[in-house]
């Protein structure tokens, strides 16, 4: 095999300005007050040169004032002013369209932020209660079981118990221009006009005696008008009209008479704001009792919440987007932006929270089709106007597949991320690593048991109120029929809790009407009931069987149509609970309790995964190219538990279970003095140390030419690690938690980590440093294999902001740090210029160590290739390639083919074992990329086809290969880089 080098075309190629299109490569940008739409526009040229086709923006609609992420939208009809508003978005649109890029927008149809005065929907509900115009927007149970306050929504926003807050004067009634609000520090809640008469009546006592009679009469008339609303029956329309008129009258009166304003303020001060006066406290309590809400201590939400939340977050209320009016209101601006060509696709957040996801996506596409028909230029220019590109944040469990009736292009790629992780770990040695973990920590429970316990923790604490509400509904259903009349509420609540804890996936998809339970959902329901019975041999199985009948819609003889409808409603509502419980119980609890290899505990993963074979990996990609070839292929998101390169390095530990176990044991002995005793237990205990050790290894600074002092001793690194461990152990909910933090335990962890990192001469520090350097080189190889696979496998490669450089961040907020784009712009310009003028020398310089530019170079070359061969990667099929020879287990090889184009990809896996014989015995000698090339591959070959002679262009090195036989010899192919991405023109019958 001979090779010659050729130059690649530049990045100036532009696509036509399509209003709607299929992305080629997306780049996620997290908007913030520091990084708004103007900053996005400034990046367009850089991202275009990098090879990105579509910006992928976090939610940009108006969110609560202190939002850190944009998912707590309070007004779906406005672009966030803090990001630059609509004007900045229009400017971004002009820049994007001029370069041929698109914009994928993250939207939030499932919930709204309710802790902000700008949410007029929620404020209307608080002012007007069950009959509010916008009450239909939210799932509120106005008469929950066992409630002493029907007709009121619980607001669990107080930092202390209600009586303490009231008596300490932390609640204040405040006059506004046309009404009154209740203030609690920086929060405010509207006071219903129906409660104003007593307040205004008290103000009359403070009017001066010489005030004009007409002024006094007007105030008394307003009071009479408002009293009438609460004493006579009026329609909703009349009530809103009368309240509006009363507001305007009060507004005018205050503007015309400062005496009235002063009297109202004096009444508020004396009657409602004197915390030293019992009468004032009682008056304020009475005023609050007249509201359509009940303020309560935030911990009360665990037991009494009566509105559907997003997970267990009190400040986020779920919305009923299945209601056509709600759908139109929430999506009006989204479709305006689509119609204007400012966005070209959608990412839908948390679809499992929707009542009927399939109907929702069909509604999206139908509305979009109507727009495209109305805009003939749009239809003619795009070629895809009838179908909107939509990807969904759907978590797939195990071998679960995306529902085929969803009108979407696929998921945001968590299943893809985990497929990459599984094939890059040594699945044959994972069992050994898991055994060593059990020995080191004493944990002998199965992953399934730990997942079950994590979900039970959520059901008994954070989401206990949601469980109780559903159990009460089930109890009412049981009491409505003689066959189930004898089931008690406690028995049904336990059955429901066990069912949810044993449920094998995130949710089922029983339709609200017109559909029976599908075969897949039928199997999941029966599987959950079977598991619940196995775990609970002493409980009433009859209650579980009744629950199963309800969920499977197996109606007993004689059940009325109304009760059949209620059974279906119950099944629909339960579906909206199992997903949040699974997410909180698995991803935010169990993942932080059990971690033989923490890099496999990622969003969408199965706890206790042991990896997969290359053959299984190929099978999954063949299914992906057939079913969802346009789904996103991601390796990092704003929600991932670890940065993509942290995971890649930690994967190496799967190759050395005995070495890792020995090093961990020695480290624990060396670090023993850093542990403390908290409540008669070691802190950190062995399991906590296991997470600390892995995390430090995964994030440890190991670049060449390390300066003194060691970067791991820096305050910045120490603070990052301490913040992560505080979050991790609170999520575990074993020694501490968000709801009841143990500051003693957390202080012990903080001090322990500080000691680990303080002294580079200590034995514990050196053990970490040595092992980190030992696995770093193979970790970088894993990271580059991961990158090449993302860019070439079926799907649309997605890049999280800044990850074109090495990314050793952890879970948010660590992964939302500012990105230095000036540095990245400069290095990309330098790379492109150097590659075009001196490719060979550029490659040698990059592979001499592990600079950030090396990863950026890979991204640049791979995305250049995708731009040159767009149809090959968007529509090409997928074929595994056979690998033979001594190192066959260390190779992933496949072919993509479309019409007369072919692409062959060959990357390494398990790199530590591959180079074990080359290791010098000096662990702090960081392995280079050149240690993984050439003769090390021995006789290993990749079999291509029956063709006797082929010529390939290799995109990472720029070489041209002549292959005289049907086999690629890796010792030659990997002579410069241990990665190959080859393309060649073919005829239809030349390959496979």
């Amino acid at each position: 095999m001979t090779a010659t080098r050729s130059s690649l075309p530049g990045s100036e190629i532009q696509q036509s300005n399509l209003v709607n299109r299929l992305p080629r490569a997306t780049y996620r940008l997290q908007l913030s007050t520091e990084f708004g739409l103007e900053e996005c526009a400034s990046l367009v040229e850089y991202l275009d040169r990098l090879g990105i086709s579509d910006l992928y923006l976090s939610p940009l609609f108006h969110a609560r004032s202190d939002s850190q992420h944009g998912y707590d939208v309070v007004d779906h009809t406005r672009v966030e002013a803090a990001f630059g508003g609509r004007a900045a978005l229009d400017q971004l649109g002009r820049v994007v369209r001029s370069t041929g890029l698109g914009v994928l927008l993250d939207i939030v149809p499932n919930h709204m932020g309710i802790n902000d005065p700008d949410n007029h929907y929620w404020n209307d509900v608080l002012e007007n209660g069950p009959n509010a115009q916008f009450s239909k927007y939210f799932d509120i149970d106005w008469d929950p079981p066992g409630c002493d306050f029907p007709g009121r929504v619980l607001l669990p926003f107080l930092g202390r118990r209600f009586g303490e807050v009231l008596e300490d004067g932390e609640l204040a009634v405040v006059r506004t221009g046309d009404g009154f609000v209740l203030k609690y520090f920086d929060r405010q809640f509207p006071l219903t006009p129906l409660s104003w008469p007593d307040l205004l009546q008290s103000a009359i006592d403070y009017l001066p005696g010489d005030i004009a009679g007409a002024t006094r009469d007007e105030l008394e008339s307003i009071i009479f008008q408002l009293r009438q609303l609460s004493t006579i029956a009026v329609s909703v329309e009349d009530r809103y009209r009368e309240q509006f008129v009363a507001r305007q009258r009060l507004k005018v009166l205050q503007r015309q008479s400062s005496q009235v304003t002063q009297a109202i303020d004096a009444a508020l001060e004396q009657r409602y704001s004197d915390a030293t006066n019992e009468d004032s406290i009682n008056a304020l309590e009475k005023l609050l009792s007249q509201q359509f809400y009940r303020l309560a201590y935030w911990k009360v939400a665990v037991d009494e919440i009566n509105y559907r939340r997003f997970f267990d977050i009190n400040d986020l209320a779920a919305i009923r987007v299945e209601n056509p009016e709600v759908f139109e209101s929430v999506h009006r601006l989204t479709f305006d932006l689509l119609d204007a060509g400012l966005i070209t696709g959608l990412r839908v957040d948390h679809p499992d929270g929707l009542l009927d996801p399939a109907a929702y996506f069909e509604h999206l596409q139908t509305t979009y089709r109507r727009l495209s028909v109305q805009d003939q230029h749009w239809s003619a220019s795009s070629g895809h106007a009838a179908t909107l590109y939509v990807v969904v944040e759907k978590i797939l469990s195990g071998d679960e597949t995306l529902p085929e009736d969803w009108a979407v292009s696929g998921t945001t790629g968590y299943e893809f991320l985990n497929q990459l992780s599984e094939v890059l770990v040594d699945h044959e040695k994972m069992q050994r690593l898991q055994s060593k973990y059990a020995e080191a920590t004493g944990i002998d429970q199965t992953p399934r048991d730990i997942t079950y316990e994590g979900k039970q923790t959520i059901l008994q604490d954070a989401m206990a109120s949601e469980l109780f509400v559903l159990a009460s509904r089930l109890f009412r259903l049981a009491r409505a029929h003689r066959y189930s009349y004898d089931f008690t509420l406690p028995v049904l609540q336990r059955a429901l809790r066990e069912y949810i804890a044993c449920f094998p996936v995130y949710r089922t998809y029983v339709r609200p009407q017109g559909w029976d339970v599908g075969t897949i959902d039928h199997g999941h329901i029966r599987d959950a009931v079977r598991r619940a019975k196995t775990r609970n041999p002493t409980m009433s199985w009859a209650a579980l069987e009744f629950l199963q009948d309800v969920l499977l819609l197996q109606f007993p003889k004689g059940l009325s149509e109304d009760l059949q409808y209620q059974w279906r409603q119950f099944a629909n509502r339960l579906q909206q609970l199992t997903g949040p419980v699974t997410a909180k119980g698995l991803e935010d609890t169990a993942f932080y309790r059990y971690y033989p290899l923490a890099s496999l505990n990622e969003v969408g993963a199965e706890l206790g995964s042991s990896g997969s074979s290359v053959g299984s990996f190929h099978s999954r990609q063949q299914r992906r190219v057939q079913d969802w070839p346009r789904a996103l292929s991601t390796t990092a998101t704003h929600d991932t538990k670890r940065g993509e390169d942290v995971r890649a390095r930690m994967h190496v530990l799967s190759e050395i279970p005995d070495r890792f176990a020995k090093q961990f044991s020695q480290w624990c002995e060396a670090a023993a003095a850093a542990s403390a005793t908290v409540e008669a237990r070691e802190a950190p205990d062995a399991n906590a140390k296991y997470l600390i050790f892995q995390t430090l290894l995964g994030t440890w600074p190991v670049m060449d030419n390390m300066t003194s002092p060691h970067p791991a001793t820096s305050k910045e690194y120490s603070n990052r690690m301490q913040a992560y461990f505080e979050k991790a152990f609170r999520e575990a909910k074993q020694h501490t938690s968000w709801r009841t933090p143990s500051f003693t335990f957390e202080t012990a962890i903080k001090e322990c980590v500080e000691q680990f990192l303080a002294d580079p001469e200590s034995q514990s520090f050196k053990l970490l440093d040595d092992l980190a350097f030992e696995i770093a080189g193979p970790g970088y190889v894993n990271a580059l294999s991961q990158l090449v696979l993302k860019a070439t496998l079926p799907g649309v490669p997605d890049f999280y902001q800044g990850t074109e450089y090495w990314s050793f961040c952890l879970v948010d907020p660590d992964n939302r740090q500012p990105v230095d784009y000036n540095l990245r712009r400069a290095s990309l310009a330098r790379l492109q210029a150097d590659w075009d003028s001196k490719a060979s020398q550029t490659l040698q310089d990059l592979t001499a160590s592990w600079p950030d530019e090396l990863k950026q170079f890979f991204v640049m070359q791979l995305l250049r290739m995708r731009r040159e061969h767009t149809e090959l990667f968007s529509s090409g099929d997928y074929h595994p390639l056979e690998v033979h020879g001594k190192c066959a287990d260390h190779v992933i090889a496949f072919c993509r083919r479309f019409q007369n184009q072919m692409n062959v990809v060959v990357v390494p896996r398990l790199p530590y074992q591959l180079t074990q014989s080359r290791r010098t015995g000096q662990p702090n000698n960081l392995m280079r990329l050149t240690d993984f090339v050439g003769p090390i591959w021995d006789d290993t070959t990749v079999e291509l086809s029956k063709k006797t002679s082929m010529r390939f262009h290799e995109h990472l090195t720029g070489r041209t290969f002549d292959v005289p036989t049907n086999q690629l010899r890796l010792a030659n192919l990997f002579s410069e880089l241990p990665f190959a991405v080859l393309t060649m023109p073919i005829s239809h019958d030349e390959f496979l």
Side-chain angles (χ1 to χ4, degrees), residues 779-800:
Y780 283 122
V781 173
N782 273 342
L784 292 175
S785 288
Q786 180 176 256
L787 173 57
V788 173
L789 292 171
K790 177 171 74 171
T792 55
L793 287 167
V796 177
D798 171 47
F799 296 83
Y800 183 66

Side-chain angles (χ1 to χ4, degrees), residues 615-629:
S616 175
F617 175 78
H618 284 315
S619 296
R620 289 175 172 178
Q621 302 316 306
Q622 287 174 312
R623 289 196 298 271
R624 182 177 174 86
V625 79
Q626 292 172 4
D627 299 336
W628 303 103

